[in-house]
Amino acid sequence: MRAVVLVGGFGTRLRPLTFTTPKPMLPVGHRPIIENLVRMLAPAGVDEVVLALGFKPEPFMAAFPDGTCAGVRLHYAVEPEPLDTGGAIRFAAEHAGVDDTFVVVNGDVLTDLDVSALLAFHRRSGAEATLHLTPVDDPSSFGVVDVDESGHVSRFVEKPAPGTAPSNLINAGTYVFEPSVLARIPSGRKVSIERETFPQIVADGRLYAMATDDYWVDTGRPSLYRQANLDMLDGRRRSLVCVAVEPGASVDGSARIEHSLVAKGARVEADAKVVGSVILPGAVVHRGAEVVDSIVMGDIGERAVLRGCVIGASGTVAGGVSVSDALVPDPSAA
Ligand code: GDD
Ligand code: MG
């Protein structure tokens, strides 16, 4: 079976990290998000993953030079221009010749969903499309459904105005589609699967959904991206855990690493202190610096103090300064 994974968005909310690395290539638990997704899909019988690429396709090809990821074959479909979620699904599925029931995943969600259970639910209900749902406190920044006990969806609203959502069950970003869904998506222009296609399938009574309380996070914002990494460290995932300091990271014996991840290719020098943070490949935390609740790809000067910051690959923080809640370089100046 094939799965289309949407990996072509700009990752705007994760700038400056995504200035250099597309969101699905950012590591969670020392593995690119896309690899985490492939590992979720494989046990359900997915033997080929179609990457719906747009923005920055090269890092994907470079990361998987033999065309496989975690033992699963990859097919690269690069859009000529951004086609939005629906347009991207149609383009990628046609590019790969998908003509049977297939799975679709948003390339920035991480979940312990059992994808075979979603497939079984889809087959039982005879749906044209089946969504995975998860409950959240504030549904206004997601797709929200009205669903009955059998899983029949009677309404789908993308990003409803606060206070108007029909329920607290949101589209968790993993779908099972019949190929007939593709024919509903006009070709050659931007189409939002959420705003255009799901409401059409609802109107024909053929959209179903399965809610689970499995671990779920959309990594698309810095606080949640950091959280997704710490959750892996804390053993919040059903069967996945990771080490704090990845083999190949350079950490001085006098540095203190508390509740943080340090990746291979990062360096933490003498007497530095890293707390609640994610230190990514290429980062350097110089002597005596203190990094708290931050994400770092860049260079942190000696005895600098950082709190709640996101430092991109070209970001530098001068020695001795204190910075809070900053994005470096500042994406709004780009
Ligand atoms: N190839 C391609 N082309 N991919 C795209 C494009 C495009 O033009 N636009 C977005 N994507 C990809 C993004 O890279 C991401 O993996 C996925 O499509 C979803 O886009 P986001 O920008 O992350 O959407 P969202 O988080 O605001 O909302 C979506 O996810 C929520 C769950 O996390 C929607 O599907 C919501 O309904 C859902 O609740
Ligand atoms: Mg998202």
Side-chain angles (χ1 to χ4, degrees):
M1 191 175 30
R2 256 115 30 123
V4 172
V5 182
L6 289 168
V7 291
F10 291 100
T12 321
R13 291 162 291 184
L14 274 180
R15 287 176 182 165
L17 304 176
T18 47
F19 280 148
T20 48
T21 307
K23 175 164 68 173
M25 283 304 301
L26 289 170
V28 167
H30 305 306
R31 279 187 189 136
I33 291 171
I34 181 66
E35 186 179 336
N36 283 284
L37 287 175
V38 171
R39 286 171 187 267
M40 165 182 86
L41 293 165
V46 169
D47 55 6
E48 184 175 65
V49 165
V50 182
L51 296 180
L53 294 154
F55 173 66
K56 287 194 197 297
E58 303 81 11
F60 293 89
M61 298 169 181
F64 309 108
D66 69 348
T68 72
C69 172
V72 176
R73 198 166 62 244
L74 299 176
H75 177 104
Y76 300 106
V78 185
E79 283 156 42
E81 62 197 351
L83 293 171
D84 206 344
T85 48
I89 293 167
R90 172 165 180 166
F91 178 85
E94 283 183 350
H95 198 274
V98 171
D99 56 2
D100 202 354
T101 308
F102 64 108
V103 178
V104 176
V105 189
N106 282 349
D108 60 352
V109 299
L110 289 176
T111 174
D112 287 338
L113 169 71
D114 174 356
V115 177
S116 357
L118 191 69
L119 278 159
F121 183 91
H122 175 82
R123 294 196 166 111
R124 273 201 308 276
S125 67
E128 182 173 352
T130 300
L131 318 180
H132 173 220
L133 304 177
T134 191
V136 297
D137 292 336
D138 175 11
S140 63
S141 51
F142 300 101
V144 191
V145 299
D146 203 343
V147 60
D148 70 15
E149 274 171 16
S150 73
H152 184 256
V153 176
S154 55
R155 208 172 147 216
F156 184 101
V157 206
E158 183 67 12
K159 308 202 168 92
T164 67
S167 74
N168 74 331
L169 286 173
I170 62 134
N171 168 20
T174 305
Y175 321 133
V176 180
F177 283 0
E178 289 308 309
S180 57
V181 172
L182 299 173
R184 294 179 178 271
I185 304 171
S187 65
R189 69 161 168 91
K190 285 191 180 194
V191 180
S192 159
I193 198 85
E194 297 89 351
R195 292 177 197 276
E196 239 180 275
T197 318
F198 290 157
Q200 268 184 32
I201 306 176
V202 167
D204 291 344
R206 304 217 41 216
L207 189 70
Y208 282 74
M210 183 182 93
T212 76
D213 57 6
D214 296 308
Y215 177 92
W216 181 87
V217 65
D218 178 330
T219 58
R221 279 185 286 140
S223 58
L224 295 170
Y225 171 69
R226 187 172 66 90
Q227 191 61 49
N229 273 281
L230 298 180
D231 286 345
M232 196 83 101
L233 189 63
D234 295 340
R236 295 240 164 82
R237 304 295 303 274
R238 189 187 297 134
S239 57
L240 302 168
V241 275
C242 72
V243 293
V245 177
E246 190 181 14
S250 154
V251 176
D252 187 89
S254 64
R256 274 171 54 197
I257 309 293
E258 293 174 12
H259 195 224
S260 297
L261 286 83
V262 183
K264 177 171 72 185
R267 185 166 96 234
V268 181
E269 295 184 351
D271 302 318
K273 185 174 164 188
V274 177
V275 184
S277 295
V278 180
I279 310 298
L280 292 166
V284 182
V285 179
H286 289 277
R287 286 179 169 269
E290 192 175 318
V291 177
V292 181
D293 298 343
S294 297
I295 307 164
V296 180
M297 278 182 167
D299 190 281
I300 312 306
E302 288 190 15
R303 290 180 311 284
V305 179
L306 237 68
R307 268 169 224 284
C309 293
V310 181
I311 312 296
S314 66
T316 56
V317 174
V321 304
S322 274
V323 203
S324 292
D325 305 314
L327 306 177
V328 185
D330 181 0
S332 60

